[in-house]
Amino acid sequence: MKKVSILILCLLFLCGCQEQAEPAKQYSKTVFAMDTVMELSVYGVEDMLAGAEYIITDTENQLSVTRPDSEIYRLNEEGQGKVSENTYALLEQALELCTLTDGALDISIYPVVKAWGFTTDEHRVPDANELNTLLQSVDYSKIELREGNAVLLGEHMQIDLGSVAKGWLGDAILDYFRSNGVESAMINLGGNVQALGAKSDGSLWRVAITDPSEEGYAGVVEIKDRAVITSGGYERYFDQDGLRYHHIIDPSTGYPADGGLLSVTIIGESGVTCDALSTALFVMGFDKATYFWKHNNGFEAIFITDNGICITEGLTSVFSPLGKYENTEVVILHRD
Ligand code: AMP
Ligand code: MG
């Protein structure tokens, strides 16, 4: 079941307390794409939302796994082919992130995701034999990127860029804004929040983190020039025979990842990296994910488990718990 993202993550705007001669003009738009609600806001510069909407449509047309005319759909049908420069560049980055996370992120997981019915919403629990057979063709290291934007997949392999596409798209939109002189913008692509600069009055953006265990928010983080990207089982799941099955699959088992996390939020500069890491660290589970953070620089993280919230040390002064988490200890992880 997919919750409409706007209900689960919102942007909290501070009331303007300072006197401003003329507040920067705000241009906003809501777009429905990639199966989710996308909110775009640009401040101070002429309306450029039509351009952003074009980038969204174009990216969806290239990357969709279900549209028969998309590059990824054709690649999955034919096992090889040429793709656009953009898609090729995304595949290069995605494969690097699959390697970095030692296969916790694996873009060739698609046949398994399909077997669980997450792309069609026809949910079912595949049996162990079926999963084992499908897992034989899951191995990102067998994807070959060749000269001339050519891609060759392994036997029976199919790929799905759903774990990185929205972060990639967010980077593309913010690059477009930046190159057109925008200094302040905020986009929320179905819960993936990305900010360009600070708010137009110079203060930080306040981004709410969804409480994965109930309606409402678990906290707020104050940022500028950052992506804040969350993965959690609560975002898409179905229940059967008293058990809950969600959409983030552990490529080493074929089953929904079950590493003691309710959600992982990654905060960093690059949308595509944060998107990849939020999915991968959710798959790793709490222990491996915290180890990964300690041994890799350039991002901060918020882990929510049944026991509460754990944040990395770089967030100490910018994270405030909300709701039931206000009365529990927020554990701070250090890099030793
Ligand atoms: P996200 O919401 O960014 O965490 O991405 C989750 C989506 O990525 C799922 O809906 C699947 O389409 C796909 N996916 C699930 N498990 C994995 C995985 N281990 N590696 C890569 N993609 C995955
Ligand atoms: Mg992701």
Side-chain angles (χ1 to χ4, degrees):
M1 189 176 92
K2 181 169 173 88
K3 287 188 186 175
V4 178
S5 56
I6 197 147
L7 291 176
I8 57 173
L9 184 82
C10 78
L11 309 178
L12 301 177
F13 295 92
L14 286 172
C15 339
C17 307
Q18 291 156 297
E19 286 280 315
Q20 267 195 311
E22 233 184 278
K25 185 156 184 203
Q26 176 184 348
Y27 300 88
S28 295
K29 186 165 198 143
T30 303
V31 179
F32 188 81
M34 293 186 177
D35 211 15
T36 197
V37 177
M38 303 193 168
E39 308 264 12
L40 314 171
S41 296
V42 179
Y43 296 80
V45 172
E46 63 171 353
D47 190 346
M48 46 197 330
L49 295 169
E53 199 173 353
Y54 175 80
I55 295 172
I56 294 173
T57 308
D58 191 45
T59 305
E60 183 170 27
N61 287 343
Q62 287 172 355
L63 303 183
S64 166
V65 279
T66 50
R67 293 184 179 200
D69 52 351
S70 87
E71 294 185 336
I72 298 300
Y73 188 96
R74 271 192 287 119
L75 199 54
N76 284 342
E77 284 293 296
E78 291 160 22
Q80 60 178 320
K82 284 198 175 211
V83 295
S84 62
E85 220 148 274
N86 258 341
T87 300
Y88 192 83
L90 172 55
L91 282 168
E92 275 181 320
Q93 279 199 41
L95 288 179
E96 273 174 29
L97 289 154
C98 292
T99 306
L100 179 71
T101 60
D102 199 19
L105 184 79
D106 192 325
I107 58 171
S108 68
I109 194 72
Y110 187 49
V112 180
V113 172
K114 244 190 333 189
W116 286 94
F118 284 113
T119 26
T120 51
D121 278 344
E122 287 166 15
H123 301 131
R124 57 189 273 275
V125 179
D127 68 34
N129 280 340
E130 181 181 354
L131 288 175
N132 285 334
T133 306
L134 292 173
L135 281 173
Q136 284 167 19
S137 56
V138 174
D139 182 354
Y140 68 91
S141 71
K142 298 219 171 86
I143 301 172
E144 279 184 47
L145 301 186
R146 297 182 167 175
E147 295 257 305
N149 299 338
V151 184
L152 181 64
L153 302 183
E155 214 183 338
H156 305 303
M157 184 180 278
Q158 297 203 316
I159 59 172
D160 166 17
L161 294 168
S163 57
V164 288
K166 279 187 266 159
W168 169 258
L169 172 61
D171 289 341
I173 295 171
L174 293 192
D175 281 348
Y176 166 71
F177 288 163
R178 206 179 281 115
S179 64
N180 281 280
V182 175
E183 289 176 359
S184 175
M186 164 63 72
I187 58 179
N188 179 356
L189 309 183
N192 279 14
V193 174
Q194 291 185 237
L196 169 58
K199 289 171 62 186
S200 59
D201 66 3
S203 61
L204 298 177
W205 300 101
R206 289 166 57 77
V207 180
I209 310 298
T210 299
D211 182 347
S213 58
E214 56 187 46
E215 292 283 311
Y217 302 104
V220 175
V221 65
E222 294 188 89
I223 49 123
K224 68 174 184 180
D225 275 320
R226 285 288 180 278
V228 181
I229 295 185
T230 301
S231 289
Y234 69 92
E235 288 179 322
R236 204 177 276 235
Y237 61 85
F238 66 94
D239 294 319
Q240 192 172 304
D241 301 328
L243 292 174
R244 178 156 292 184
Y245 301 95
H246 62 71
H247 67 132
I248 305 178
I249 306 296
D250 182 343
S252 67
T253 65
Y255 285 89
D258 185 19
L261 288 162
L262 300 179
S263 73
V264 177
T265 300
I266 304 290
I267 297 157
E269 278 178 33
S270 149
V272 68
T273 304
C274 291
D275 201 353
L277 292 183
S278 69
T279 309
L281 269 62
F282 186 88
V283 169
M284 288 177 197
F286 184 75
D287 292 340
K288 279 194 188 158
T290 52
Y291 181 89
F292 183 91
W293 173 78
K294 284 183 185 174
H295 293 85
N296 289 276
N297 292 317
F299 72 97
E300 303 295 337
I302 301 169
F303 302 104
I304 305 187
T305 70
D306 277 330
N307 298 328
I309 297 192
C310 182
I311 63 171
T312 56
E313 61 190 354
L315 299 177
T316 313
S317 61
V318 292
F319 177 79
S320 321
L322 283 179
K324 65 176 188 255
Y325 299 99
E326 284 179 273
N327 306 318
T328 58
E329 185 198 1
V330 174
V331 176
I332 299 172
L333 275 183
H334 295 278
R335 273 208 170 85
D336 300 333

